Amino acid sequence: QVQLVESGGGLVQAGGSRRLSCAASGSIFIIYAMGWYRQAPGKQRELVATLTSGGSTNYADSVKGRFTISRDNAKNTVYLQMNSLKPEDTAVYYCNADLLNGLGMRNNYWGQGIQVTVSS
């Protein structure tokens, strides 16, 4: 069984910074990519940033230049450094992993989500 556990959310003032972490644990053979998505009230879940095992990154236009995704392969952990936060960044942030599990099956896994609230 694979689990993704997010941490680092909370309340932050506009212009401030926050770092989210997501640790993957369980029976994992290969992690192909990890990323972050978010869902604001009344809106669909959207991609924030992804990072492949080869080091390729992809960012939503709305966060380019402000957010940075990184990964510690030894810890199976992905980070999202969020700077210059805006009230419109307020959302539940979800960690995602595309991986090969211990049964040899490639699946997408999601964390439980963590709230980030940016006050104006």
Side-chain angles (χ1 to χ4, degrees):
Q1 190 167 351
V2 174
Q3 280 190 319
L4 303 181
V5 179
E6 300 115 332
S7 60
L11 177 65
V12 60
Q13 287 189 334
S17 298
R18 202 81 177 180
R19 189 176 84 153
L20 303 182
S21 300
C22 171
S25 63
S27 182
I28 299 170
F29 278 155
I30 301 170
I31 297 179
Y32 296 106
M34 295 185 78
W36 292 92
Y37 292 73
R38 67 186 181 187
Q39 187 167 17
K43 295 187 177 181
Q44 289 188 328
R45 190 174 299 188
E46 63 176 3
L47 178 147
V48 176
T50 59
L51 174 61
T52 70
S53 58
S56 297
T57 58
N58 184 36
Y59 292 94
D61 288 342
S62 58
V63 307
K64 283 181 181 176
R66 300 189 298 122
F67 291 11
T68 302
I69 189 169
S70 61
R71 184 171 149 184
D72 184 333
N73 291 327
K75 296 181 179 180
N76 285 343
T77 297
V78 67
Y79 305 96
L80 185 68
Q81 178 66 43
M82 305 184 292
N83 298 328
S84 302
L85 282 161
K86 304 175 181 180
E88 50 263 43
D89 294 318
T90 295
V92 177
Y93 283 71
Y94 295 91
C95 177
N96 174 270
D98 173 12
L99 59 84
L100 189 70
N101 64 23
L103 298 177
M105 296 174 61
R106 183 169 180 172
N107 280 327
N108 248 286
Y109 293 87
W110 292 92
Q112 78 282 1
I114 193 164
Q115 179 71 44
V116 174
T117 302
V118 184
S119 64
S120 58

